[in-house]
């Protein structure tokens, strides 16, 4: 069934590409695109079967994300982020899953994980207030995941949790005016002193050790995967797809492009352009191949009931940040050689260049932290970071 979903998504790619400009102008993915993606079953790929999902192999999900992103970076970004949330909800207590999907298994969730709000423990749950930024696709969701630090008696944080809130408990502040990923509608979420019951929260400590309340009902290996691996790949995969889209657009334009200042030389015959193409294509392939390899190895370990080795966890994070770096290098090589026409509004190469760089600034793409962790592990030093 998941392969049928993938084929249906591929059939939508031309229409998604045709609406890329519309997404940028509206600063959100067109409603028609979201409805069509939902109709393919894409948003249910990682959803538990108990609630009408497919429990697909994550590599299938990421393949779809890559192809959507090649057509429109903003659409691919929203598809990836919103599409992975059913997997995370599958880790929550079953009562929370029933509240979201009980009436409508197609209900979608957006997110903002940076713990910028105020969390106050109370009987039965928490009081939540504050502003959270960068909630991609929030206009297309009826619930939201928000990150928050839980204070102890002395005010010092003792836990970090994800809080699940329904649309009635927050408002969306339209602030998304950017130079890249403009169509993602990554607006602010504002919450004013709302009660969130305990069962609609999930501790990052549980996700770090892959032991979550949702495992009681969702026993498939998919839900045993490390949160850090799934989440970070979800952020980097659209960037790799965006780079592929830029390469495809560059090749299409370059086959017919003429350099007047070089005596009418066909750019396609320029060996320097050919080297850029080869280098960019190699970087993109490496980005995808290494991320896919790690996800497949993690899934194989989960299916075998094995513990995830520290080496594999660290390598997954290493390859994820390097995948983003490779994609950025690829789009830079292409944009530098795309000519003046690529500067025009609506040109897919310059859009890809802007979108890829916009995705790069996400905190999970910071290379120094992930690479330092890998180096520490390789040297036999203790690694305690929760994002591995």
């Amino acid at each position: 069934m998941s392969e049928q979903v993938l084929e249906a998504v591929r059939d939508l790619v031309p229409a998604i590409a045709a609406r890329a400009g519309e997404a940028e102008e509206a600063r959100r993915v067109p409603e028609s695109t979201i409805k069509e993606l939902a109709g393919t079953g894409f948003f249910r790929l990682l959803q538990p079967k108990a609630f009408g999902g497919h429990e697909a192999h994550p590599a299938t999900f990421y393949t779809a994300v890559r192809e959507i992103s090649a057509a429109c970076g903003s659409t691919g970004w929203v598809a990836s982020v919103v599409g992975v949330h059913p997997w995370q909800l599958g880790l929550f207590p079953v009562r929370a899953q029933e509240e979201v999907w009980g009436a409508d298994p197609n209900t979608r969730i957006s997110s903002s994980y940076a713990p910028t709000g105020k969390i106050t423990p109370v009987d039965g749950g928490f009081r939540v207030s504050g502003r959270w930024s960068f909630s991609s696709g929030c206009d297309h969701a009826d619930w939201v995941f928000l990150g928050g630090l839980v204070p102890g008696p002395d005010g010092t944080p003792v836990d970090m949790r994800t809080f699940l809130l329904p649309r009635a408990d927050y408002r969306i502040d339209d602030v998304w005016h950017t130079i890249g990923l403009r169509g993602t509608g990554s607006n602010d979420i504002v919450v004013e002193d709302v009660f969130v019951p305990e069962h609609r929260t999930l501790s990052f400590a549980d996700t770090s050790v892959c032991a979550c309340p949702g495992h009681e009902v969702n026993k498939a290996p998919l839900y045993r995967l490390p949160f850090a691996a799934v989440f970070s790949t979800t952020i980097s995969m659209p960037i790799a797809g965006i780079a592929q889209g830029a390469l495809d657009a560059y090749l299409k334009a370059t086959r017919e492009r003429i350099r007047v200042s070089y005596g009418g030389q066909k750019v396609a015959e320029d060996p320097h352009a050919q080297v850029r193409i080869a280098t960019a294509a190699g970087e993109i392939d490496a980005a995808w191949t290494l991320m896919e390899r790690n996800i497949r190895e993690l899934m194989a370990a989960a299916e075998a009931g094995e513990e995830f080795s520290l080496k594999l966890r660290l390598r997954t994070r290493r390859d994820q940040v390097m995948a983003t770096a490779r994609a950025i290098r690829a789009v830079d090589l292409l944009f530098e050689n795309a000519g003046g026409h690529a500067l025009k509004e609506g040109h897919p190469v310059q859009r890809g260049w802007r979108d890829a760089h916009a995705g790069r600034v996400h905190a999970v793409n910071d290379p120094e932290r992930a690479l330092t962790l890998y180096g520490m592990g390789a040297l036999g030093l203790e690694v305690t970071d929760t994002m591995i």
Side-chain angles (χ1 to χ4, degrees):
M1 183 63 185
S2 59
E3 289 301 320
Q4 294 176 359
V5 173
L6 181 56
E7 288 304 313
V9 168
R10 285 172 171 153
D11 289 341
L12 291 182
V13 163
I16 291 172
R19 298 182 192 127
E22 179 184 345
E24 280 217 318
E25 185 176 351
R27 296 182 296 111
R28 56 181 287 178
V29 177
E31 188 66 36
S32 55
T33 296
I34 296 296
K35 288 182 178 179
E36 289 171 356
L37 283 173
T40 68
F42 169 81
F43 292 112
R44 289 184 283 119
L45 280 173
L46 301 183
Q47 188 169 339
K49 287 184 178 179
F51 293 95
H54 300 303
E55 290 185 7
H57 195 292
T60 301
F61 172 75
Y62 290 124
T63 298
V65 167
R66 181 186 61 174
E67 300 197 20
I68 296 168
S69 303
C72 172
S74 289
T75 303
W77 183 274
V78 170
S80 192
V81 171
V82 175
V84 83
H85 290 154
W87 175 83
Q88 186 182 2
L89 183 57
L91 309 181
F92 272 70
V94 66
R95 184 177 173 187
Q97 300 177 53
E98 290 171 344
E99 289 178 358
V100 174
W101 289 322
D104 183 2
N106 292 308
T107 300
R108 291 181 293 273
I109 308 168
S110 67
S111 65
S112 179
Y113 295 104
T116 55
K118 179 182 179 182
I119 309 298
T120 305
V122 296
D123 289 343
F126 305 85
R127 304 298 303 187
V128 176
S129 296
R131 176 183 292 267
W132 285 259
S133 298
F134 312 117
S135 188
S136 300
C138 57
D139 290 313
H140 303 293
D142 293 315
W143 291 74
V144 69
F145 287 138
L146 300 176
L149 295 173
V150 179
D154 63 353
T156 302
V158 295
D159 192 12
M160 180 170 174
R161 287 178 174 259
T162 299
F163 297 83
L164 174 64
L165 284 72
R167 185 68 180 82
D169 285 355
Y170 62 90
R171 65 179 172 85
I172 298 171
D173 195 357
D174 186 355
V175 298
W176 192 244
H177 300 273
T178 61
I179 63 168
L181 292 177
R182 289 167 57 182
T184 61
S186 302
N187 289 305
D188 287 3
I189 302 296
V190 181
V191 180
E192 298 176 356
D193 192 26
V194 167
F195 174 72
V196 179
E198 176 82 22
H199 71 270
R200 282 204 261 115
T201 73
L202 181 67
S203 173
F204 272 83
D206 291 342
T207 62
S208 179
V209 297
C210 301
C212 299
H215 294 161
E216 181 180 350
V217 61
N218 299 319
K219 301 181 183 299
L222 174 64
Y223 303 101
R224 300 284 176 176
L225 295 175
F227 175 85
V230 174
F231 176 73
S232 60
T233 304
T234 296
I235 297 302
S236 288
M237 192 58 73
I239 303 175
I242 290 167
Q244 181 64 55
L247 175 59
D248 293 342
Y250 175 90
L251 289 172
K252 181 178 180 180
T254 300
R255 290 188 181 101
E256 304 299 328
R257 189 169 144 230
I258 301 294
R259 279 202 182 105
V260 176
S261 58
Y262 284 81
Q265 178 195 40
K266 290 185 176 180
V267 178
E269 297 173 354
D270 180 1
H272 300 295
Q274 295 161 2
V275 169
R276 283 177 182 262
I277 291 168
T279 303
E283 296 284 25
I284 296 165
D285 284 351
W288 161 253
T289 300
L290 293 178
M291 285 194 289
E292 183 189 33
R293 174 196 67 175
N294 294 332
I295 286 296
R296 289 192 179 278
E297 288 192 21
L298 286 164
M299 191 62 178
E303 291 170 340
E306 300 172 352
E307 293 290 326
F308 303 109
S309 69
L310 177 63
K311 181 179 179 180
L312 178 55
R313 285 177 178 244
L314 291 172
R315 192 184 75 194
T316 299
R317 284 285 279 126
R318 178 201 71 186
D319 291 344
Q320 170 259 316
V321 295
M322 291 302 295
T324 296
R326 289 185 169 103
I328 293 296
R329 185 185 181 207
V331 295
D332 283 351
L333 284 169
L334 298 170
F335 185 57
E336 290 167 0
N337 194 241
H341 288 286
L343 297 173
K344 294 180 179 179
E345 289 187 6
H347 196 288
V349 173
Q350 63 86 7
R351 181 186 296 122
W353 184 85
R354 289 187 290 105
D355 287 347
H357 278 271
R360 163 61 184 85
V361 303
H362 193 288
V364 82
N365 286 322
D366 287 345
E368 290 81 8
R369 181 178 182 181
L371 298 183
T372 296
L373 293 174
Y374 182 86
M376 290 172 62
L379 292 169
L381 302 177
E382 183 180 10
V383 181
T384 58
D385 196 285
T386 58
M387 279 301 293
I388 57 170

